[in-house]
Amino acid sequence: MINEFKETFGIDGHVGFHFGKGHMPKAIIENEFASAEVYLHGAHVTAFHPHNSSPVLWMSNIAEFRHDKAIRGGIPVVWPWFGPHPNDDTKPQHGFARISEWTLVSTTALSNGFTQLRLQLSDIETTQTLCPRPFELELSVTVGTQLHIDLVSRNIGTEPFIIGGALHTYFSIGDINRITIEGLEGREYLDQLQGHQTNLQKGTITISEEVDRIYFNTDDECIISDPVMKRHIHVAKMGSNTTVVWNPWIAKSQHMSDFPDDGFRTMVCIEATNAVDDVYHILPGEEHTLTQIISVDDKY
Ligand code: BG6
């Protein structure tokens, strides 16, 4: 299997393949600007490491690599609903894209030296019970000075359907007590820890307890300022009007079997989200693209 990937999709100086953890196939991207890793399970980006900085994505050191489970860390693809299913709690939290096996459709060395991978998921038998409408989902991952992710939802059937989701990115930080997140000042948010109470964000975000918030009416870039790692991480997006900020803090970290007890200290999730009213009605033949663009400024 790995040899077939190498023959069909390998590109010298850009893309190679290996069995990763759990004997799951992964693509390794290495170019003049950065390295990255993408598992076919979940179309999950598990690493992005620009050559001028340290790794940008946080990965749990006890993540489980199983076909029925989402990988903890990196960029889980949440689709076609965000959080619990709106009216059927037997369906998986955050949808099924992150626990599905995707198909690699192309790898390209772009003229600017960046590397692009495209992966697809369609309404094969295993997903039909979870999403009865014909769809095609495509994730394109472009690795260079920045990491650019596009998640394209296509309606290839004859009935409209509604989609939500997120690029649920885990960022690696020096110390949760010392970072600030800029870009959401003055926005209202739903506090998922307080019975869905709505609050107003005053000033930049600092975190000193569990945080699970859905910010509304925002397509703004967020900037993580990290004085310990001496860098700023810029998180821009398109096709999303809600942003989720999540840190599980102490008790929830201890409760999750695939999350180290002290993991909350060195991670924060900033998610380009389509949730609550920010969901998309996709008509037959139409598509919606959710984008997240991540870059690092190593001058602090
Ligand atoms: C966030 C949600 O997006 O994901 C949180 O807002 C949730 O409520 C978190 O706890 C992690 O979810 P999961 O399913 O990956 O453990």
Side-chain angles (χ1 to χ4, degrees):
M1 177 201 241
I2 289 298
N3 283 341
E4 282 167 31
F5 281 129
K6 283 181 180 165
E7 274 166 31
T8 315
F9 296 110
I11 307 177
D12 282 348
H14 283 270
V15 188
F17 294 90
H18 285 294
F19 281 118
K21 295 190 175 153
H23 206 60
M24 288 176 163
K26 69 175 179 184
I28 316 278
I29 297 129
E30 177 79 56
N31 58 33
E32 59 180 298
F33 305 105
S35 59
E37 276 184 11
V38 184
Y39 276 77
L40 270 63
H41 176 64
H44 202 122
V45 180
T46 52
F48 171 55
H49 187 174
H51 294 330
N52 65 349
S53 190
S54 0
V56 173
L57 303 180
W58 181 89
M59 269 299 297
S60 166
N61 57 10
I62 51 169
E64 293 173 48
F65 290 75
R66 289 192 345 224
H67 291 286
D68 59 346
K69 201 168 161 68
I71 298 169
R72 179 71 65 189
I75 312 184
V77 176
V78 169
W79 193 90
W81 58 86
F82 179 85
H85 188 276
N87 46 40
D88 183 352
D89 60 13
T90 64
K91 292 189 171 167
Q93 149 105 343
H94 284 333
F96 56 84
R98 63 181 186 160
I99 50 171
S100 298
E101 305 313 311
W102 290 55
T103 305
L104 182 61
V105 291
S106 72
T107 53
T108 314
L110 302 175
S111 57
N112 60 1
F114 293 8
T115 311
Q116 189 170 71
L117 261 64
R118 285 169 52 239
L119 300 103
Q120 282 182 356
L121 180 70
S122 51
D123 59 330
I124 47 169
E125 227 169 277
T126 44
T127 61
Q128 270 163 4
T129 49
L130 293 162
C131 185
R133 302 270 188 246
F135 70 88
E136 188 180 84
L137 190 61
E138 182 169 313
L139 191 85
S140 124
V141 179
T142 308
V143 179
T145 49
Q146 48 180 219
L147 178 66
H148 183 127
I149 311 278
D150 287 319
L151 179 67
V152 186
S153 310
R154 296 192 183 105
N155 185 341
I156 55 170
T158 53
E159 302 288 327
F161 59 66
I162 296 179
I163 58 109
L167 295 167
H168 188 313
T169 309
Y170 289 71
F171 290 97
S172 179
I173 53 166
D175 180 354
I176 190 69
N177 293 299
R178 297 191 54 198
I179 60 153
T180 57
I181 302 168
E182 236 177 87
L184 296 166
E185 305 82 78
R187 299 291 177 198
E188 285 200 319
Y189 64 87
L190 194 68
D191 190 336
Q192 303 216 78
L193 303 172
Q194 292 189 2
H196 287 244
Q197 187 182 312
T198 304
N199 292 326
L200 187 71
Q201 177 64 43
K202 297 186 194 100
T204 55
I205 300 173
T206 53
I207 298 178
S208 54
E209 59 186 344
E210 185 180 354
V211 165
D212 189 353
R213 302 175 183 167
I214 303 176
Y215 286 85
F216 295 120
N217 299 319
T218 174
D219 58 2
D220 290 316
E221 174 176 284
C222 288
I223 302 172
I224 305 172
S225 295
D226 186 337
V228 176
M229 295 182 88
K230 296 198 174 4
R231 68 181 181 184
H232 300 277
I233 301 176
H234 293 251
V235 191
K237 62 174 188 164
M238 289 175 278
S240 153
N241 221 18
T242 38
T243 296
V244 169
V245 177
W246 181 62
N247 181 287
W249 212 249
I250 300 166
K252 197 169 271 176
S253 295
Q254 290 170 348
H255 187 73
M256 289 184 282
S257 61
D258 58 354
F259 199 105
D261 288 357
D262 60 354
F264 72 96
R265 292 184 192 282
T266 54
M267 59 70 67
V268 67
C269 286
I270 299 183
E271 307 169 29
T273 309
N274 291 140
V276 195
D277 293 337
D278 178 33
V279 288
Y280 287 80
H281 293 249
I282 309 187
L283 301 175
E286 301 207 330
E287 62 183 41
H288 168 67
T289 303
L290 172 65
T291 300
Q292 194 177 47
I293 304 164
I294 298 164
S295 57
V296 179
D297 174 359
D298 64 348
K299 289 179 203 66
Y300 190 81

